[in-house]
Amino acid sequence: MYQENYPQNFPTGFLWGGATAANQVEGAWNLDGKGLTTAEVVKKATNRKKMSMDAVDQVTLHQAINDHTTMLYPKRRGVDFYHHYAEDIKLFAEMGFKVYRFSIAWARILPHGDDKQPNQAGLDFYDRVLTELEKYQIQPLITLSHYEMPLDLTLKYNGWSDRRTIAAFNHYTQIVFEHFGQRVKYWLTFNEINTGTWGFHATGAIDQGLSKQQQLQLRYQSLHHQLVASALATKQLHELYPTDKIGCMLARMQTYPASPKPEDVRAAQLADQKNLFFLMFKFVVNIQSFMNRYFAENKLIIKMGTDDQAILANNPVDFISFSYYMTTVTKADQDGTAVGNMATGGRNPYLKESAWGWQIDPIGLRITLNELWDRYQKPLFVVENGLGAQDKLVNDQIHDSYRISYLRQHIIQMKEAIKDGVKLLGYTMWGPIDLISFSTSEMSKRYGLIYVDQDDLGRGTLTRIRKDSFYWYQKVIATNGTDLSDNQ
Ligand code: BG6
């Protein structure tokens, strides 16, 4: 009977949890032998609707290197997870987390990016984190590179634009797999790899002052190197631990055509193809050939090593992970750009938006889950989704019904997708604890279920406070998503 195959709820063992990134939470930017990273030379934005992360040029870079304070560079201080990790993980456990996604800072392990020997204090820190997680049976899901790299590789090679960075990265990944591999089952390579087309934050390559064409050339070349490095890391992991799982990670930008006009529909398809290109594994043949046409028409020459095609083709990832915050609208004669950290495209008149102008579209999550599953038939993992909002602390409490509503609506759509037959491994909402915003480096753009007492200038006690959403998510996890009512 067909009906028997119709799932009713989240599967048993569904991985509920939260996600953070080293450069947004750890702080301790210059402690215990850690090297400076690309994220730590990016200044806080002066306009919260205008992203600042890619505006680094040679002048601002050298100013930052000579400035040894944290004031202008909030990612140097994070929320001091480096010293609060035990307290924070205890709170995650109290919510019932099954998984915690975090990233390893490459420069904590190899301060210059290509050191022969690892920095023992860096390895020790992540060992301590893993020990805490094991105490509560929380699975680690580790991102190998989340929007930062050792700054010395920018100075030496201009980041990922140089092929030599592949070897440096795979030396780092080999060390990390050998050291932590026994304790970790799930890995991700590059966070939101496709956003490398936007510049420095992901490529580690300074490209300010270049023409648009030269920028595109450098960014796609950098991305090619990252794709190869990613495939090589996949190979390393599978050789060491054949049953471990490694995924790629995409900033999923589901695109809607602005109208049923065939030109608009085709334009939307094109935008989608460019987004999905970065889910590089062997059966994406059509999309690869589409990109060859795109490269040729835009006169982009991507240099490849002789083995690159084979490396990419022979090392597919085990699952597809992605972040989901918004959808975009595309039309053939595009003018106007949507506000959002990396969205291009127009605004959707049917959607509401956050205070930062990010359009909120829970049904888009169901659509994208279905599309990805239909197309690739690979297990999926939603590894980021959440609401950045300004919270008000009143009598030591935060009543964040808006955040509950946002998460609730998205989780309902995930459940619908599971009922549609999508194979979903888990959900790590973004920012279980308040952290420094990626795109604007603000503290006041809060995603957390846990409040951190710190303001945009770094003032505060760093005390952690449970928000209403903390108790709500605790209930959702305890019932494995059966109870999605908005009361806690
Ligand atoms: C994703 C990033 O793009 O969006 C995270 O992977 C980031 O690092 C998240 O924090 C939310 O973006 P923002 O700019 O609001 O912090």
Side-chain angles (χ1 to χ4, degrees):
M1 295 270 287
Y2 284 121
Q3 290 90 325
E4 282 165 14
N5 294 324
Y6 166 41
Q8 291 300 314
N9 201 2
F10 291 92
T12 315
F14 187 77
L15 293 168
W16 295 99
T20 63
N23 70 87
Q24 294 172 262
V25 294
E26 283 181 8
W29 65 292
N30 56 359
L31 288 192
D32 299 337
K34 180 180 160 299
L36 192 62
T37 72
T38 48
E40 292 157 349
V41 297
V42 176
K43 282 190 184 165
K44 187 173 106 42
T46 44
N47 174 349
R48 62 168 40 163
K49 287 202 175 173
K50 204 159 174 288
M51 312 306 156
S52 65
M53 73 275 180
D54 293 321
V56 176
D57 59 21
Q58 291 295 348
V59 175
T60 52
L61 176 68
H62 285 95
Q63 276 168 359
I65 292 171
N66 294 320
D67 184 346
H68 295 186
T69 68
T70 61
M71 181 63 109
L72 294 175
Y73 306 98
K75 286 176 186 147
R76 293 181 182 184
R77 56 171 190 267
V79 290
D80 201 23
F81 179 78
Y82 193 73
H83 296 109
H84 289 253
Y85 66 93
E87 178 188 352
D88 295 344
I89 292 171
K90 190 163 185 247
L91 287 165
F92 299 160
E94 194 181 318
M95 276 188 276
F97 276 24
K98 312 288 179 220
V99 62
Y100 171 43
R101 173 183 172 224
F102 63 99
S103 71
I104 290 182
W106 179 353
R108 224 179 255 297
I109 308 298
L110 301 177
H112 305 283
D114 57 357
D115 315 61
K116 278 207 168 59
Q117 296 304 324
N119 170 31
Q120 190 57 44
L123 295 173
D124 291 347
F125 170 63
Y126 295 108
D127 268 328
R128 292 197 294 277
V129 169
L130 290 175
T131 302
E132 275 323 292
L133 293 173
E134 283 159 6
K135 210 154 123 184
Y136 305 107
Q137 281 133 41
I138 299 175
Q139 287 269 7
L141 165 61
I142 296 186
T143 316
L144 291 160
S145 176
H146 190 128
Y147 286 170
E148 38 92 349
M149 68 189 298
L151 189 70
D152 279 357
L153 293 180
T154 296
L155 299 172
K156 205 165 161 185
Y157 298 144
N158 206 21
W160 281 102
S161 67
D162 191 308
R163 198 174 169 91
R164 284 171 292 185
T165 301
I166 300 177
F169 180 76
N170 290 129
H171 173 54
Y172 153 71
T173 53
Q174 186 72 25
I175 290 170
V176 164
F177 291 149
E178 281 174 8
H179 188 88
F180 301 111
Q182 299 286 358
R183 313 177 75 179
V184 181
K185 237 173 63 193
Y186 295 100
W187 299 88
L188 299 178
T189 54
F190 293 95
N191 183 62
E192 297 187 333
I193 186 162
N194 53 308
T195 70
T197 54
W198 292 72
F200 178 72
H201 72 279
T203 61
I206 304 282
D207 58 22
Q208 295 299 301
L210 297 181
S211 70
K212 280 260 167 306
Q213 161 75 15
Q214 289 166 329
Q215 274 185 346
L216 214 55
Q217 170 73 43
L218 181 132
R219 292 174 187 179
Y220 271 108
Q221 185 64 60
S222 302
L223 277 160
H224 171 70
H225 294 148
Q226 284 178 283
L227 287 168
V228 173
S230 188
L232 288 171
T234 303
K235 183 169 188 282
Q236 287 173 324
L237 182 76
H238 286 154
E239 279 171 7
L240 282 167
Y241 312 99
T243 59
D244 280 9
K245 304 290 176 214
I246 188 159
C248 55
M249 200 305 203
L250 183 81
R252 178 64 181 136
M253 293 291 161
Q254 182 74 46
T255 308
Y256 302 138
S259 80
K261 198 163 82 177
E263 286 84 350
D264 285 349
V265 177
R266 170 57 197 152
Q269 185 181 47
L270 191 80
D272 229 33
Q273 283 178 315
K274 279 163 74 181
N275 182 235
L276 295 174
F277 164 64
F278 295 97
L279 295 182
M280 181 62 89
F281 45 109
K282 65 179 167 199
F283 41 84
V284 197
V285 180
N286 289 337
I287 294 194
Q288 281 175 11
S289 51
F290 147 76
M291 283 308 282
N292 286 335
R293 176 176 178 177
Y294 172 79
F295 292 146
E297 287 180 354
N298 288 280
K299 304 199 173 23
L300 300 174
I301 299 156
I302 312 298
K303 290 197 204 104
M304 295 184 81
T306 36
D307 295 338
D308 288 3
Q309 286 283 16
I311 292 168
L312 291 169
N314 294 328
N315 297 289
V317 288
D318 302 302
F319 63 94
I320 296 173
S321 83
F322 64 96
S323 63
Y324 179 84
Y325 292 94
M326 64 184 85
T327 46
T328 65
V329 174
T330 306
K331 59 178 174 177
D333 51 345
Q334 189 90 330
D335 46 8
T337 301
V339 181
N341 63 349
M342 44 229 130
T344 52
R347 307 192 70 69
N348 189 328
Y350 299 100
L351 300 178
K352 296 205 175 98
E353 62 183 39
S354 77
W356 275 259
W358 292 25
Q359 292 201 297
I360 301 170
D361 182 7
I363 294 175
L365 178 55
R366 179 178 178 187
I367 296 171
T368 224
L369 281 164
N370 270 284
E371 278 201 11
L372 292 177
W373 176 248
D374 287 351
R375 195 188 269 250
Y376 304 113
Q377 299 276 304
K378 281 254 174 188
L380 303 173
F381 206 140
V382 178
V383 293
E384 281 188 37
N385 168 241
L387 179 71
Q390 199 130 20
D391 290 331
K392 244 205 207 125
L393 185 66
V394 181
N395 300 329
D396 276 349
Q397 291 181 334
I398 294 102
H399 300 302
D400 56 343
S401 52
Y402 38 91
R403 186 169 290 107
I404 293 175
S405 158
Y406 178 100
L407 294 171
R408 177 173 175 270
Q409 291 179 60
H410 285 82
I411 294 173
I412 287 174
Q413 294 303 324
M414 267 182 350
K415 192 171 177 172
E416 291 304 315
I418 288 170
K419 289 164 136 184
D420 294 335
V422 169
K423 179 160 182 200
L424 187 59
L425 296 174
Y427 174 73
T428 53
M429 54 80 57
W430 178 251
I433 184 160
D434 290 346
L435 38 71
I436 305 293
S437 149
F438 149 63
S439 55
T440 61
S441 288
E442 286 167 290
M443 184 68 213
S444 48
K445 187 179 188 186
R446 296 173 183 274
Y447 283 84
L449 312 167
I450 301 163
Y451 182 87
V452 176
D453 178 31
Q454 178 176 233
D455 70 9
D456 283 339
L457 297 175
R459 294 170 304 199
T461 59
L462 293 173
T463 304
R464 276 58 173 157
I465 299 170
R466 296 166 186 81
K467 304 183 192 177
D468 285 358
S469 53
F470 178 101
Y471 300 103
W472 178 82
Y473 198 44
Q474 184 181 53
K475 175 197 76 176
V476 170
I477 299 177
T479 62
N480 197 29
T482 308
D483 183 353
L484 290 176
S485 59
D486 52 9
N487 51 316
Q488 299 138 43

